[in-house]
Amino acid sequence: MKTFVIANWKMNPSSSAKAEFLFNSIKDGLENIEKLGKKTEIVICPPFPYLSIISNIYNPCLPSPEAKATGGQVKSNIKLGAQNCFWEDPPAGGGSFTGEISLLMLKDLGCKYVIIGHSERRMFLNETDRIINKKIRAVLAKRIEPILCVGENRKDKEQGKTQTVLRKQIENGLKRISKSDVKKIIFAYEPLWAIGSGRPCSPDEAQVIRLFFKKVISQKYFRSIADEINILYGGSVDSSNAKSFIEEAGFQGVLVGGSSLKPKEFIELVKNI
Ligand code: PEP
């Protein structure tokens, strides 16, 4: 199985020149990671305006002219992802959607992945489970891989409601998604109290939640499907703790915010797992 490291740059850095520099630094440090015998898929998710800049300098997911001729893809362990999308296609989807970004646009830029339902979007932009489910279904229909984020906040945790909250987010996010499609979703457990706090969930606690994800997915689909699902951990992951979420807690990778903006730290993180 592959290990995933998803870099969520959020609303950073502050200029396109800095984005180009950040991407090039990461690329130079990691381009040949496969030579170390690692099967790591590194997914860089910059803000929308920088997607085309990065796609133009690197084009990690688009077929090269030679690959296009043979129907293949550029071989690279660094892929491009988006942090959000809209669920309709313009204009046949029946309306105009000022300010939104379509999946066709993301696909054209070479995005292989899209983060859906990040807690900051749920919290500050009122993204509901219903909206998240629409986005997941639209992403799957375009053959892009969704990264579905779910997580409880501190109050939920203190009130013992973690599993209830997670079950609701998972089940609602998966409405009308087939058995074959659910396997294409990458799940990310991101407890809100751990995001950006410098205090990650302990690997033991995270492991219990990972098994709970499998239980919920088994109950909705089959055990065999739950066994195939990729589940990542996110929340204050850095180069010193990333490995523990994979080796001790059994996750298939990590979703990284703050540490993905520091090239040395991020390269170290990938090399350490
Ligand atoms: C995130 O926002 O998805 C995240 C994991 O952030 P951080 O790594 O900074 O906690």
Side-chain angles (χ1 to χ4, degrees), residues 48-263:
F48 287 134
Y50 306 148
L51 278 171
S52 73
I53 296 163
I54 294 174
S55 183
N56 281 337
I57 55 175
Y58 183 61
N59 240 348
C61 306
L62 291 175
S64 65
E66 314 84 72
K68 248 184 198 161
T70 58
Q73 289 272 312
V74 174
K75 205 177 158 335
S76 168
N77 52 320
I78 302 178
K79 306 287 188 221
L80 203 52
Q83 297 175 20
N84 179 37
C85 67
F86 194 58
W87 60 83
E88 295 281 3
D89 288 336
S96 306
F97 306 103
T98 302
E100 292 299 334
I101 306 286
S102 81
L103 285 153
L104 291 175
M105 297 172 192
L106 297 180
K107 205 159 176 149
D108 180 57
L109 292 174
C111 286
K112 192 178 172 209
Y113 299 91
V114 187
I115 298 174
I116 301 290
H118 191 281
S119 58
E120 287 150 16
R121 298 198 60 82
R122 292 180 189 256
M123 223 174 0
F124 303 124
L125 292 145
N126 294 328
E127 276 202 12
T128 60
D129 285 342
R130 199 172 140 265
I131 290 175
I132 289 160
N133 175 252
K134 275 189 180 197
K135 290 187 178 184
I136 296 274
R137 285 190 279 127
V139 173
L140 289 165
K142 289 286 180 301
R143 294 167 188 257
I144 299 179
E145 294 180 45
I147 301 159
L148 170 60
C149 297
V150 303
E152 82 285 8
N153 64 29
R154 183 169 297 284
K155 194 167 163 215
D156 299 328
K157 180 175 160 63
E158 284 168 359
Q159 292 180 346
K161 292 185 184 157
T162 297
Q163 296 198 353
T164 311
V165 168
L166 294 177
R167 179 182 285 280
K168 186 170 159 284
Q169 290 178 355
I170 298 169
E171 287 180 347
N172 288 342
L174 294 180
K175 277 194 178 147
R176 292 170 56 201
I177 290 177
S178 69
K179 295 181 193 83
S180 58
D181 271 351
V182 72
K183 292 192 235 172
K184 298 172 195 153
I185 300 174
I186 298 173
F187 292 80
Y189 170 51
E190 294 217 298
L192 274 67
W193 46 269
I195 293 180
S197 67
R199 286 193 297 275
C201 186
S202 74
D204 283 354
E205 206 180 329
Q207 151 104 307
V208 172
I209 301 295
R210 184 180 67 77
L211 296 173
F212 177 70
F213 271 60
K214 293 216 175 253
K215 181 172 156 191
V216 175
I217 295 162
S218 299
Q219 286 166 342
K220 187 165 165 59
Y221 299 92
F222 291 118
R223 177 65 205 264
S224 56
I225 289 178
D227 285 343
E228 280 184 54
I229 298 268
N230 288 303
I231 308 172
L232 317 184
Y233 168 78
S236 294
V237 174
D238 61 25
S239 61
S240 70
N241 60 29
K243 193 176 180 161
S244 63
F245 291 104
I246 294 158
E247 289 201 347
E248 289 171 40
F251 286 89
Q252 281 70 51
V254 286
L255 201 159
V256 188
S259 298
S260 70
L261 298 170
K262 303 172 206 149

